[in-house]
mmCIF file with all atom_site columns, all heavy atoms in Angstrom:
data_model
loop_
_atom_site.group_PDB
_atom_site.id
_atom_site.type_symbol
_atom_site.label_atom_id
_atom_site.label_alt_id
_atom_site.label_comp_id
_atom_site.label_asym_id
_atom_site.label_entity_id
_atom_site.label_seq_id
_atom_site.pdbx_PDB_ins_code
_atom_site.Cartn_x
_atom_site.Cartn_y
_atom_site.Cartn_z
_atom_site.occupancy
_atom_site.B_iso_or_equiv
_atom_site.pdbx_formal_charge
_atom_site.auth_seq_id
_atom_site.auth_comp_id
_atom_site.auth_asym_id
_atom_site.auth_atom_id
_atom_site.pdbx_PDB_model_num
ATOM 1   N N   . SER O 1 1  ? 30.023 -67.288 -21.509 1.00 98.00 ? 1  SER O N   1
ATOM 2   C CA  . SER O 1 1  ? 29.223 -68.514 -21.453 1.00 98.00 ? 1  SER O CA  1
ATOM 3   C C   . SER O 1 1  ? 28.378 -68.637 -20.184 1.00 98.00 ? 1  SER O C   1
ATOM 4   O O   . SER O 1 1  ? 27.494 -69.488 -20.120 1.00 98.00 ? 1  SER O O   1
ATOM 5   C CB  . SER O 1 1  ? 30.119 -69.748 -21.585 1.00 98.00 ? 1  SER O CB  1
ATOM 6   O OG  . SER O 1 1  ? 31.064 -69.794 -20.536 1.00 98.00 ? 1  SER O OG  1
ATOM 7   N N   . LEU O 1 2  ? 28.633 -67.816 -19.191 1.00 98.00 ? 2  LEU O N   1
ATOM 8   C CA  . LEU O 1 2  ? 27.794 -67.829 -17.990 1.00 98.00 ? 2  LEU O CA  1
ATOM 9   C C   . LEU O 1 2  ? 26.722 -66.742 -18.019 1.00 98.00 ? 2  LEU O C   1
ATOM 10  O O   . LEU O 1 2  ? 26.059 -66.477 -17.009 1.00 98.00 ? 2  LEU O O   1
ATOM 11  C CB  . LEU O 1 2  ? 28.652 -67.732 -16.719 1.00 98.00 ? 2  LEU O CB  1
ATOM 12  C CG  . LEU O 1 2  ? 29.367 -69.037 -16.348 1.00 98.00 ? 2  LEU O CG  1
ATOM 13  C CD1 . LEU O 1 2  ? 30.259 -68.837 -15.132 1.00 98.00 ? 2  LEU O CD1 1
ATOM 14  C CD2 . LEU O 1 2  ? 28.371 -70.165 -16.097 1.00 98.00 ? 2  LEU O CD2 1
ATOM 15  N N   . GLY O 1 3  ? 26.560 -66.102 -19.164 1.00 98.00 ? 3  GLY O N   1
ATOM 16  C CA  . GLY O 1 3  ? 25.407 -65.249 -19.402 1.00 98.00 ? 3  GLY O CA  1
ATOM 17  C C   . GLY O 1 3  ? 25.111 -64.228 -18.316 1.00 98.00 ? 3  GLY O C   1
ATOM 18  O O   . GLY O 1 3  ? 25.974 -63.424 -17.954 1.00 98.00 ? 3  GLY O O   1
ATOM 19  N N   . ARG O 1 4  ? 23.871 -64.254 -17.814 1.00 98.00 ? 4  ARG O N   1
ATOM 20  C CA  . ARG O 1 4  ? 23.433 -63.268 -16.830 1.00 98.00 ? 4  ARG O CA  1
ATOM 21  C C   . ARG O 1 4  ? 24.258 -63.303 -15.547 1.00 98.00 ? 4  ARG O C   1
ATOM 22  O O   . ARG O 1 4  ? 24.386 -62.284 -14.855 1.00 98.00 ? 4  ARG O O   1
ATOM 23  C CB  . ARG O 1 4  ? 21.950 -63.491 -16.472 1.00 98.00 ? 4  ARG O CB  1
ATOM 24  C CG  . ARG O 1 4  ? 20.943 -63.189 -17.577 1.00 98.00 ? 4  ARG O CG  1
ATOM 25  C CD  . ARG O 1 4  ? 20.790 -61.708 -17.833 1.00 98.00 ? 4  ARG O CD  1
ATOM 26  N NE  . ARG O 1 4  ? 20.382 -60.959 -16.672 1.00 98.00 ? 4  ARG O NE  1
ATOM 27  C CZ  . ARG O 1 4  ? 19.128 -60.863 -16.203 1.00 98.00 ? 4  ARG O CZ  1
ATOM 28  N NH1 . ARG O 1 4  ? 18.139 -61.512 -16.824 1.00 98.00 ? 4  ARG O NH1 1
ATOM 29  N NH2 . ARG O 1 4  ? 18.843 -60.120 -15.155 1.00 98.00 ? 4  ARG O NH2 1
ATOM 30  N N   . LEU O 1 5  ? 24.816 -64.471 -15.212 1.00 98.00 ? 5  LEU O N   1
ATOM 31  C CA  . LEU O 1 5  ? 25.652 -64.543 -14.010 1.00 98.00 ? 5  LEU O CA  1
ATOM 32  C C   . LEU O 1 5  ? 26.831 -63.584 -14.111 1.00 98.00 ? 5  LEU O C   1
ATOM 33  O O   . LEU O 1 5  ? 27.232 -62.965 -13.109 1.00 98.00 ? 5  LEU O O   1
ATOM 34  C CB  . LEU O 1 5  ? 26.164 -65.962 -13.787 1.00 98.00 ? 5  LEU O CB  1
ATOM 35  C CG  . LEU O 1 5  ? 25.137 -67.030 -13.417 1.00 98.00 ? 5  LEU O CG  1
ATOM 36  C CD1 . LEU O 1 5  ? 25.832 -68.356 -13.170 1.00 98.00 ? 5  LEU O CD1 1
ATOM 37  C CD2 . LEU O 1 5  ? 24.324 -66.630 -12.195 1.00 98.00 ? 5  LEU O CD2 1
ATOM 38  N N   . GLU O 1 6  ? 27.376 -63.445 -15.299 1.00 98.00 ? 6  GLU O N   1
ATOM 39  C CA  . GLU O 1 6  ? 28.506 -62.528 -15.489 1.00 98.00 ? 6  GLU O CA  1
ATOM 40  C C   . GLU O 1 6  ? 28.062 -61.079 -15.293 1.00 98.00 ? 6  GLU O C   1
ATOM 41  O O   . GLU O 1 6  ? 28.785 -60.268 -14.705 1.00 98.00 ? 6  GLU O O   1
ATOM 42  C CB  . GLU O 1 6  ? 29.106 -62.741 -16.876 1.00 98.00 ? 6  GLU O CB  1
ATOM 43  C CG  . GLU O 1 6  ? 29.631 -64.162 -17.079 1.00 98.00 ? 6  GLU O CG  1
ATOM 44  C CD  . GLU O 1 6  ? 30.354 -64.357 -18.394 1.00 98.00 ? 6  GLU O CD  1
ATOM 45  O OE1 . GLU O 1 6  ? 30.754 -63.343 -19.021 1.00 98.00 ? 6  GLU O OE1 1
ATOM 46  O OE2 . GLU O 1 6  ? 30.532 -65.523 -18.807 1.00 98.00 ? 6  GLU O OE2 1
ATOM 47  N N   . ASP O 1 7  ? 26.864 -60.754 -15.769 1.00 98.00 ? 7  ASP O N   1
ATOM 48  C CA  . ASP O 1 7  ? 26.342 -59.394 -15.585 1.00 98.00 ? 7  ASP O CA  1
ATOM 49  C C   . ASP O 1 7  ? 26.077 -59.095 -14.109 1.00 98.00 ? 7  ASP O C   1
ATOM 50  O O   . ASP O 1 7  ? 26.372 -58.002 -13.632 1.00 98.00 ? 7  ASP O O   1
ATOM 51  C CB  . ASP O 1 7  ? 25.051 -59.218 -16.378 1.00 98.00 ? 7  ASP O CB  1
ATOM 52  C CG  . ASP O 1 7  ? 25.242 -59.383 -17.879 1.00 98.00 ? 7  ASP O CG  1
ATOM 53  O OD1 . ASP O 1 7  ? 26.375 -59.166 -18.346 1.00 98.00 ? 7  ASP O OD1 1
ATOM 54  O OD2 . ASP O 1 7  ? 24.261 -59.739 -18.555 1.00 98.00 ? 7  ASP O OD2 1
ATOM 55  N N   . ILE O 1 8  ? 25.519 -60.075 -13.410 1.00 98.00 ? 8  ILE O N   1
ATOM 56  C CA  . ILE O 1 8  ? 25.224 -59.881 -11.986 1.00 98.00 ? 8  ILE O CA  1
ATOM 57  C C   . ILE O 1 8  ? 26.518 -59.702 -11.197 1.00 98.00 ? 8  ILE O C   1
ATOM 58  O O   . ILE O 1 8  ? 26.628 -58.817 -10.338 1.00 98.00 ? 8  ILE O O   1
ATOM 59  C CB  . ILE O 1 8  ? 24.421 -61.072 -11.436 1.00 98.00 ? 8  ILE O CB  1
ATOM 60  C CG1 . ILE O 1 8  ? 23.033 -61.129 -12.073 1.00 98.00 ? 8  ILE O CG1 1
ATOM 61  C CG2 . ILE O 1 8  ? 24.278 -60.981 -9.919  1.00 98.00 ? 8  ILE O CG2 1
ATOM 62  C CD1 . ILE O 1 8  ? 22.319 -62.458 -11.862 1.00 98.00 ? 8  ILE O CD1 1
ATOM 63  N N   . ALA O 1 9  ? 27.497 -60.543 -11.480 1.00 98.00 ? 9  ALA O N   1
ATOM 64  C CA  . ALA O 1 9  ? 28.781 -60.426 -10.778 1.00 98.00 ? 9  ALA O CA  1
ATOM 65  C C   . ALA O 1 9  ? 29.407 -59.067 -11.027 1.00 98.00 ? 9  ALA O C   1
ATOM 66  O O   . ALA O 1 9  ? 29.945 -58.430 -10.104 1.00 98.00 ? 9  ALA O O   1
ATOM 67  C CB  . ALA O 1 9  ? 29.721 -61.545 -11.234 1.00 98.00 ? 9  ALA O CB  1
ATOM 68  N N   . THR O 1 10 ? 29.338 -58.604 -12.269 1.00 98.00 ? 10 THR O N   1
ATOM 69  C CA  . THR O 1 10 ? 29.895 -57.286 -12.597 1.00 98.00 ? 10 THR O CA  1
ATOM 70  C C   . THR O 1 10 ? 29.161 -56.188 -11.845 1.00 98.00 ? 10 THR O C   1
ATOM 71  O O   . THR O 1 10 ? 29.794 -55.281 -11.271 1.00 98.00 ? 10 THR O O   1
ATOM 72  C CB  . THR O 1 10 ? 29.802 -57.041 -14.113 1.00 98.00 ? 10 THR O CB  1
ATOM 73  O OG1 . THR O 1 10 ? 30.536 -58.059 -14.807 1.00 98.00 ? 10 THR O OG1 1
ATOM 74  C CG2 . THR O 1 10 ? 30.358 -55.676 -14.487 1.00 98.00 ? 10 THR O CG2 1
ATOM 75  N N   . GLN O 1 11 ? 27.836 -56.237 -11.833 1.00 98.00 ? 11 GLN O N   1
ATOM 76  C CA  . GLN O 1 11 ? 27.051 -55.214 -11.141 1.00 98.00 ? 11 GLN O CA  1
ATOM 77  C C   . GLN O 1 11 ? 27.392 -55.160 -9.656  1.00 98.00 ? 11 GLN O C   1
ATOM 78  O O   . GLN O 1 11 ? 27.604 -54.071 -9.090  1.00 98.00 ? 11 GLN O O   1
ATOM 79  C CB  . GLN O 1 11 ? 25.553 -55.480 -11.318 1.00 98.00 ? 11 GLN O CB  1
ATOM 80  C CG  . GLN O 1 11 ? 24.670 -54.431 -10.629 1.00 98.00 ? 11 GLN O CG  1
ATOM 81  C CD  . GLN O 1 11 ? 23.196 -54.746 -10.769 1.00 98.00 ? 11 GLN O CD  1
ATOM 82  O OE1 . GLN O 1 11 ? 22.801 -55.762 -11.344 1.00 98.00 ? 11 GLN O OE1 1
ATOM 83  N NE2 . GLN O 1 11 ? 22.360 -53.880 -10.220 1.00 98.00 ? 11 GLN O NE2 1
ATOM 84  N N   . ILE O 1 12 ? 27.458 -56.321 -9.009  1.00 99.00 ? 12 ILE O N   1
ATOM 85  C CA  . ILE O 1 12 ? 27.731 -56.337 -7.569  1.00 99.00 ? 12 ILE O CA  1
ATOM 86  C C   . ILE O 1 12 ? 29.158 -55.872 -7.279  1.00 99.00 ? 12 ILE O C   1
ATOM 87  O O   . ILE O 1 12 ? 29.412 -55.128 -6.323  1.00 99.00 ? 12 ILE O O   1
ATOM 88  C CB  . ILE O 1 12 ? 27.459 -57.735 -6.995  1.00 99.00 ? 12 ILE O CB  1
ATOM 89  C CG1 . ILE O 1 12 ? 25.951 -58.035 -7.077  1.00 99.00 ? 12 ILE O CG1 1
ATOM 90  C CG2 . ILE O 1 12 ? 27.935 -57.842 -5.545  1.00 99.00 ? 12 ILE O CG2 1
ATOM 91  C CD1 . ILE O 1 12 ? 25.563 -59.448 -6.718  1.00 99.00 ? 12 ILE O CD1 1
ATOM 92  N N   . ALA O 1 13 ? 30.103 -56.274 -8.101  1.00 98.00 ? 13 ALA O N   1
ATOM 93  C CA  . ALA O 1 13 ? 31.484 -55.818 -7.921  1.00 98.00 ? 13 ALA O CA  1
ATOM 94  C C   . ALA O 1 13 ? 31.581 -54.305 -8.078  1.00 98.00 ? 13 ALA O C   1
ATOM 95  O O   . ALA O 1 13 ? 32.335 -53.640 -7.350  1.00 98.00 ? 13 ALA O O   1
ATOM 96  C CB  . ALA O 1 13 ? 32.400 -56.523 -8.920  1.00 98.00 ? 13 ALA O CB  1
ATOM 97  N N   . LEU O 1 14 ? 30.818 -53.739 -9.002  1.00 98.00 ? 14 LEU O N   1
ATOM 98  C CA  . LEU O 1 14 ? 30.816 -52.281 -9.172  1.00 98.00 ? 14 LEU O CA  1
ATOM 99  C C   . LEU O 1 14 ? 30.142 -51.583 -7.988  1.00 98.00 ? 14 LEU O C   1
ATOM 100 O O   . LEU O 1 14 ? 30.613 -50.534 -7.532  1.00 98.00 ? 14 LEU O O   1
ATOM 101 C CB  . LEU O 1 14 ? 30.110 -51.908 -10.473 1.00 98.00 ? 14 LEU O CB  1
ATOM 102 C CG  . LEU O 1 14 ? 30.870 -52.222 -11.764 1.00 98.00 ? 14 LEU O CG  1
ATOM 103 C CD1 . LEU O 1 14 ? 29.997 -51.955 -12.976 1.00 98.00 ? 14 LEU O CD1 1
ATOM 104 C CD2 . LEU O 1 14 ? 32.164 -51.411 -11.854 1.00 98.00 ? 14 LEU O CD2 1
ATOM 105 N N   . ILE O 1 15 ? 29.038 -52.137 -7.496  1.00 98.00 ? 15 ILE O N   1
ATOM 106 C CA  . ILE O 1 15 ? 28.377 -51.539 -6.328  1.00 98.00 ? 15 ILE O CA  1
ATOM 107 C C   . ILE O 1 15 ? 29.345 -51.495 -5.159  1.00 98.00 ? 15 ILE O C   1
ATOM 108 O O   . ILE O 1 15 ? 29.450 -50.483 -4.457  1.00 98.00 ? 15 ILE O O   1
ATOM 109 C CB  . ILE O 1 15 ? 27.107 -52.334 -5.961  1.00 98.00 ? 15 ILE O CB  1
ATOM 110 C CG1 . ILE O 1 15 ? 26.017 -52.133 -7.024  1.00 98.00 ? 15 ILE O CG1 1
ATOM 111 C CG2 . ILE O 1 15 ? 26.578 -51.915 -4.589  1.00 98.00 ? 15 ILE O CG2 1
ATOM 112 C CD1 . ILE O 1 15 ? 24.839 -53.071 -6.871  1.00 98.00 ? 15 ILE O CD1 1
ATOM 113 N N   . GLN O 1 16 ? 30.085 -52.594 -4.956  1.00 98.00 ? 16 GLN O N   1
ATOM 114 C CA  . GLN O 1 16 ? 31.002 -52.671 -3.812  1.00 98.00 ? 16 GLN O CA  1
ATOM 115 C C   . GLN O 1 16 ? 32.396 -52.153 -4.129  1.00 98.00 ? 16 GLN O C   1
ATOM 116 O O   . GLN O 1 16 ? 33.243 -52.066 -3.230  1.00 98.00 ? 16 GLN O O   1
ATOM 117 C CB  . GLN O 1 16 ? 31.067 -54.112 -3.305  1.00 98.00 ? 16 GLN O CB  1
ATOM 118 C CG  . GLN O 1 16 ? 29.720 -54.608 -2.782  1.00 98.00 ? 16 GLN O CG  1
ATOM 119 C CD  . GLN O 1 16 ? 29.793 -55.978 -2.124  1.00 98.00 ? 16 GLN O CD  1
ATOM 120 O OE1 . GLN O 1 16 ? 30.867 -56.572 -1.962  1.00 98.00 ? 16 GLN O OE1 1
ATOM 121 N NE2 . GLN O 1 16 ? 28.644 -56.483 -1.714  1.00 98.00 ? 16 GLN O NE2 1
ATOM 122 N N   . GLN O 1 17 ? 32.637 -51.822 -5.405  1.00 98.00 ? 17 GLN O N   1
ATOM 123 C CA  . GLN O 1 17 ? 33.924 -51.270 -5.843  1.00 98.00 ? 17 GLN O CA  1
ATOM 124 C C   . GLN O 1 17 ? 35.102 -52.151 -5.448  1.00 98.00 ? 17 GLN O C   1
ATOM 125 O O   . GLN O 1 17 ? 36.100 -51.717 -4.865  1.00 98.00 ? 17 GLN O O   1
ATOM 126 C CB  . GLN O 1 17 ? 34.103 -49.849 -5.289  1.00 98.00 ? 17 GLN O CB  1
ATOM 127 C CG  . GLN O 1 17 ? 33.208 -48.814 -5.946  1.00 98.00 ? 17 GLN O CG  1
ATOM 128 C CD  . GLN O 1 17 ? 33.584 -48.554 -7.407  1.00 98.00 ? 17 GLN O CD  1
ATOM 129 O OE1 . GLN O 1 17 ? 34.623 -47.980 -7.709  1.00 98.00 ? 17 GLN O OE1 1
ATOM 130 N NE2 . GLN O 1 17 ? 32.719 -49.009 -8.324  1.00 98.00 ? 17 GLN O NE2 1
ATOM 131 N N   . THR O 1 18 ? 34.969 -53.435 -5.802  1.00 98.00 ? 18 THR O N   1
ATOM 132 C CA  . THR O 1 18 ? 36.021 -54.394 -5.501  1.00 98.00 ? 18 THR O CA  1
ATOM 133 C C   . THR O 1 18 ? 35.938 -55.558 -6.472  1.00 98.00 ? 18 THR O C   1
ATOM 134 O O   . THR O 1 18 ? 34.860 -55.886 -6.977  1.00 98.00 ? 18 THR O O   1
ATOM 135 C CB  . THR O 1 18 ? 35.908 -54.921 -4.054  1.00 98.00 ? 18 THR O CB  1
ATOM 136 O OG1 . THR O 1 18 ? 36.913 -55.916 -3.829  1.00 98.00 ? 18 THR O OG1 1
ATOM 137 C CG2 . THR O 1 18 ? 34.538 -55.520 -3.787  1.00 98.00 ? 18 THR O CG2 1
ATOM 138 N N   . LEU O 1 19 ? 37.086 -56.203 -6.724  1.00 98.00 ? 19 LEU O N   1
ATOM 139 C CA  . LEU O 1 19 ? 37.106 -57.415 -7.540  1.00 98.00 ? 19 LEU O CA  1
ATOM 140 C C   . LEU O 1 19 ? 36.743 -58.654 -6.729  1.00 98.00 ? 19 LEU O C   1
ATOM 141 O O   . LEU O 1 19 ? 36.613 -59.746 -7.280  1.00 98.00 ? 19 LEU O O   1
ATOM 142 C CB  . LEU O 1 19 ? 38.492 -57.609 -8.163  1.00 98.00 ? 19 LEU O CB  1
ATOM 143 C CG  . LEU O 1 19 ? 38.957 -56.526 -9.144  1.00 98.00 ? 19 LEU O CG  1
ATOM 144 C CD1 . LEU O 1 19 ? 40.357 -56.837 -9.663  1.00 98.00 ? 19 LEU O CD1 1
ATOM 145 C CD2 . LEU O 1 19 ? 37.983 -56.381 -10.301 1.00 98.00 ? 19 LEU O CD2 1
ATOM 146 N N   . THR O 1 20 ? 36.590 -58.486 -5.425  1.00 98.00 ? 20 THR O N   1
ATOM 147 C CA  . THR O 1 20 ? 36.230 -59.610 -4.553  1.00 98.00 ? 20 THR O CA  1
ATOM 148 C C   . THR O 1 20 ? 35.024 -59.228 -3.688  1.00 98.00 ? 20 THR O C   1
ATOM 149 O O   . THR O 1 20 ? 35.138 -59.039 -2.476  1.00 98.00 ? 20 THR O O   1
ATOM 150 C CB  . THR O 1 20 ? 37.412 -60.021 -3.656  1.00 98.00 ? 20 THR O CB  1
ATOM 151 O OG1 . THR O 1 20 ? 37.875 -58.861 -2.925  1.00 98.00 ? 20 THR O OG1 1
ATOM 152 C CG2 . THR O 1 20 ? 38.557 -60.597 -4.480  1.00 98.00 ? 20 THR O CG2 1
ATOM 153 N N   . PRO O 1 21 ? 33.857 -59.080 -4.292  1.00 98.00 ? 21 PRO O N   1
ATOM 154 C CA  . PRO O 1 21 ? 32.672 -58.673 -3.525  1.00 98.00 ? 21 PRO O CA  1
ATOM 155 C C   . PRO O 1 21 ? 32.222 -59.775 -2.569  1.00 98.00 ? 21 PRO O C   1
ATOM 156 O O   . PRO O 1 21 ? 32.603 -60.948 -2.704  1.00 98.00 ? 21 PRO O O   1
ATOM 157 C CB  . PRO O 1 21 ? 31.616 -58.427 -4.607  1.00 98.00 ? 21 PRO O CB  1
ATOM 158 C CG  . PRO O 1 21 ? 32.037 -59.300 -5.739  1.00 98.00 ? 21 PRO O CG  1
ATOM 159 C CD  . PRO O 1 21 ? 33.539 -59.312 -5.713  1.00 98.00 ? 21 PRO O CD  1
ATOM 160 N N   . ALA O 1 22 ? 31.405 -59.385 -1.599  1.00 98.00 ? 22 ALA O N   1
ATOM 161 C CA  . ALA O 1 22 ? 30.903 -60.335 -0.597  1.00 98.00 ? 22 ALA O CA  1
ATOM 162 C C   . ALA O 1 22 ? 29.440 -60.038 -0.296  1.00 98.00 ? 22 ALA O C   1
ATOM 163 O O   . ALA O 1 22 ? 29.063 -58.878 -0.084  1.00 98.00 ? 22 ALA O O   1
ATOM 164 C CB  . ALA O 1 22 ? 31.738 -60.247 0.680   1.00 98.00 ? 22 ALA O CB  1
ATOM 165 N N   . LEU O 1 23 ? 28.630 -61.063 -0.274  1.00 98.00 ? 23 LEU O N   1
ATOM 166 C CA  . LEU O 1 23 ? 27.215 -60.931 0.100   1.00 98.00 ? 23 LEU O CA  1
ATOM 167 C C   . LEU O 1 23 ? 27.098 -61.308 1.579   1.00 98.00 ? 23 LEU O C   1
ATOM 168 O O   . LEU O 1 23 ? 26.770 -62.441 1.929   1.00 98.00 ? 23 LEU O O   1
ATOM 169 C CB  . LEU O 1 23 ? 26.343 -61.825 -0.782  1.00 98.00 ? 23 LEU O CB  1
ATOM 170 C CG  . LEU O 1 23 ? 26.460 -61.589 -2.289  1.00 98.00 ? 23 LEU O CG  1
ATOM 171 C CD1 . LEU O 1 23 ? 25.499 -62.483 -3.053  1.00 98.00 ? 23 LEU O CD1 1
ATOM 172 C CD2 . LEU O 1 23 ? 26.220 -60.122 -2.634  1.00 98.00 ? 23 LEU O CD2 1
ATOM 173 N N   . SER O 1 24 ? 27.392 -60.352 2.423   1.00 98.00 ? 24 SER O N   1
ATOM 174 C CA  . SER O 1 24 ? 27.494 -60.609 3.854   1.00 98.00 ? 24 SER O CA  1
ATOM 175 C C   . SER O 1 24 ? 26.156 -60.396 4.558   1.00 98.00 ? 24 SER O C   1
ATOM 176 O O   . SER O 1 24 ? 25.425 -59.455 4.249   1.00 98.00 ? 24 SER O O   1
ATOM 177 C CB  . SER O 1 24 ? 28.539 -59.673 4.484   1.00 98.00 ? 24 SER O CB  1
ATOM 178 O OG  . SER O 1 24 ? 29.774 -59.786 3.820   1.00 98.00 ? 24 SER O OG  1
ATOM 179 N N   . ASN O 1 25 ? 25.852 -61.285 5.498   1.00 98.00 ? 25 ASN O N   1
ATOM 180 C CA  . ASN O 1 25 ? 24.677 -61.163 6.368   1.00 98.00 ? 25 ASN O CA  1
ATOM 181 C C   . ASN O 1 25 ? 23.418 -60.765 5.580   1.00 98.00 ? 25 ASN O C   1
ATOM 182 O O   . ASN O 1 25 ? 22.759 -59.766 5.884   1.00 98.00 ? 25 ASN O O   1
ATOM 183 C CB  . ASN O 1 25 ? 24.955 -60.139 7.475   1.00 98.00 ? 25 ASN O CB  1
ATOM 184 C CG  . ASN O 1 25 ? 24.002 -60.272 8.655   1.00 98.00 ? 25 ASN O CG  1
ATOM 185 O OD1 . ASN O 1 25 ? 23.323 -61.281 8.805   1.00 98.00 ? 25 ASN O OD1 1
ATOM 186 N ND2 . ASN O 1 25 ? 23.942 -59.243 9.484   1.00 98.00 ? 25 ASN O ND2 1
ATOM 187 N N   . PRO O 1 26 ? 23.056 -61.514 4.549   1.00 98.00 ? 26 PRO O N   1
ATOM 188 C CA  . PRO O 1 26 ? 21.919 -61.126 3.703   1.00 98.00 ? 26 PRO O CA  1
ATOM 189 C C   . PRO O 1 26 ? 20.602 -61.135 4.471   1.00 98.00 ? 26 PRO O C   1
ATOM 190 O O   . PRO O 1 26 ? 20.374 -61.998 5.321   1.00 98.00 ? 26 PRO O O   1
ATOM 191 C CB  . PRO O 1 26 ? 21.928 -62.190 2.606   1.00 98.00 ? 26 PRO O CB  1
ATOM 192 C CG  . PRO O 1 26 ? 22.575 -63.382 3.244   1.00 98.00 ? 26 PRO O CG  1
ATOM 193 C CD  . PRO O 1 26 ? 23.622 -62.822 4.169   1.00 98.00 ? 26 PRO O CD  1
ATOM 194 N N   . HIS O 1 27 ? 19.739 -60.179 4.146   1.00 98.00 ? 27 HIS O N   1
ATOM 195 C CA  . HIS O 1 27 ? 18.454 -60.028 4.837   1.00 98.00 ? 27 HIS O CA  1
ATOM 196 C C   . HIS O 1 27 ? 17.305 -59.863 3.853   1.00 98.00 ? 27 HIS O C   1
ATOM 197 O O   . HIS O 1 27 ? 17.477 -59.276 2.783   1.00 98.00 ? 27 HIS O O   1
ATOM 198 C CB  . HIS O 1 27 ? 18.473 -58.784 5.739   1.00 98.00 ? 27 HIS O CB  1
ATOM 199 C CG  . HIS O 1 27 ? 19.028 -59.012 7.105   1.00 98.00 ? 27 HIS O CG  1
ATOM 200 N ND1 . HIS O 1 27 ? 20.372 -59.186 7.338   1.00 98.00 ? 27 HIS O ND1 1
ATOM 201 C CD2 . HIS O 1 27 ? 18.418 -59.080 8.322   1.00 98.00 ? 27 HIS O CD2 1
ATOM 202 C CE1 . HIS O 1 27 ? 20.572 -59.347 8.641   1.00 98.00 ? 27 HIS O CE1 1
ATOM 203 N NE2 . HIS O 1 27 ? 19.399 -59.298 9.257   1.00 98.00 ? 27 HIS O NE2 1
ATOM 204 N N   . ILE O 1 28 ? 16.145 -60.338 4.254   1.00 98.00 ? 28 ILE O N   1
ATOM 205 C CA  . ILE O 1 28 ? 14.874 -59.952 3.652   1.00 98.00 ? 28 ILE O CA  1
ATOM 206 C C   . ILE O 1 28 ? 14.087 -59.199 4.719   1.00 98.00 ? 28 ILE O C   1
ATOM 207 O O   . ILE O 1 28 ? 13.918 -59.700 5.836   1.00 98.00 ? 28 ILE O O   1
ATOM 208 C CB  . ILE O 1 28 ? 14.052 -61.166 3.170   1.00 98.00 ? 28 ILE O CB  1
ATOM 209 C CG1 . ILE O 1 28 ? 14.811 -61.986 2.138   1.00 98.00 ? 28 ILE O CG1 1
ATOM 210 C CG2 . ILE O 1 28 ? 12.687 -60.708 2.629   1.00 98.00 ? 28 ILE O CG2 1
ATOM 211 C CD1 . ILE O 1 28 ? 14.920 -61.364 0.770   1.00 98.00 ? 28 ILE O CD1 1
ATOM 212 N N   . LEU O 1 29 ? 13.630 -57.996 4.385   1.00 98.00 ? 29 LEU O N   1
ATOM 213 C CA  . LEU O 1 29 ? 12.837 -57.177 5.297   1.00 98.00 ? 29 LEU O CA  1
ATOM 214 C C   . LEU O 1 29 ? 11.409 -57.122 4.761   1.00 98.00 ? 29 LEU O C   1
ATOM 215 O O   . LEU O 1 29 ? 11.185 -56.688 3.631   1.00 98.00 ? 29 LEU O O   1
ATOM 216 C CB  . LEU O 1 29 ? 13.416 -55.762 5.386   1.00 98.00 ? 29 LEU O CB  1
ATOM 217 C CG  . LEU O 1 29 ? 14.917 -55.650 5.693   1.00 98.00 ? 29 LEU O CG  1
ATOM 218 C CD1 . LEU O 1 29 ? 15.328 -54.182 5.759   1.00 98.00 ? 29 LEU O CD1 1
ATOM 219 C CD2 . LEU O 1 29 ? 15.276 -56.373 6.982   1.00 98.00 ? 29 LEU O CD2 1
ATOM 220 N N   . VAL O 1 30 ? 10.458 -57.580 5.562   1.00 98.00 ? 30 VAL O N   1
ATOM 221 C CA  . VAL O 1 30 ? 9.055  -57.595 5.160   1.00 98.00 ? 30 VAL O CA  1
ATOM 222 C C   . VAL O 1 30 ? 8.295  -56.559 5.985   1.00 98.00 ? 30 VAL O C   1
ATOM 223 O O   . VAL O 1 30 ? 8.252  -56.649 7.212   1.00 98.00 ? 30 VAL O O   1
ATOM 224 C CB  . VAL O 1 30 ? 8.427  -58.992 5.348   1.00 98.00 ? 30 VAL O CB  1
ATOM 225 C CG1 . VAL O 1 30 ? 6.941  -58.965 4.988   1.00 98.00 ? 30 VAL O CG1 1
ATOM 226 C CG2 . VAL O 1 30 ? 9.155  -60.029 4.507   1.00 98.00 ? 30 VAL O CG2 1
ATOM 227 N N   . PHE O 1 31 ? 7.717  -55.582 5.305   1.00 98.00 ? 31 PHE O N   1
ATOM 228 C CA  . PHE O 1 31 ? 6.952  -54.524 5.963   1.00 98.00 ? 31 PHE O CA  1
ATOM 229 C C   . PHE O 1 31 ? 5.460  -54.813 5.794   1.00 98.00 ? 31 PHE O C   1
ATOM 230 O O   . PHE O 1 31 ? 5.011  -55.177 4.707   1.00 98.00 ? 31 PHE O O   1
ATOM 231 C CB  . PHE O 1 31 ? 7.293  -53.163 5.361   1.00 98.00 ? 31 PHE O CB  1
ATOM 232 C CG  . PHE O 1 31 ? 8.713  -52.746 5.612   1.00 98.00 ? 31 PHE O CG  1
ATOM 233 C CD1 . PHE O 1 31 ? 9.717  -53.049 4.691   1.00 98.00 ? 31 PHE O CD1 1
ATOM 234 C CD2 . PHE O 1 31 ? 9.063  -52.065 6.760   1.00 98.00 ? 31 PHE O CD2 1
ATOM 235 C CE1 . PHE O 1 31 ? 11.033 -52.673 4.918   1.00 98.00 ? 31 PHE O CE1 1
ATOM 236 C CE2 . PHE O 1 31 ? 10.375 -51.687 7.004   1.00 98.00 ? 31 PHE O CE2 1
ATOM 237 C CZ  . PHE O 1 31 ? 11.355 -51.994 6.083   1.00 98.00 ? 31 PHE O CZ  1
#
């Protein structure tokens, strides 16, 4: 029922290989 949010959470958890991922110190880099 949370649609794309569930897909995003799954993707990030897989990237970080953990069931408790963290978006730490987020940055935008403009070149």
Side-chain angles (χ1 to χ4, degrees):
S1 60
L2 284 177
R4 292 288 302 280
L5 292 183
E6 299 186 18
D7 298 335
I8 294 165
T10 300
Q11 181 182 2
I12 293 172
L14 288 173
I15 290 169
Q16 297 187 5
Q17 288 292 290
T18 177
L19 297 179
T20 55
L23 303 183
S24 305
N25 199 16
H27 274 74
I28 301 287
L29 309 181
V30 177
F31 294 92

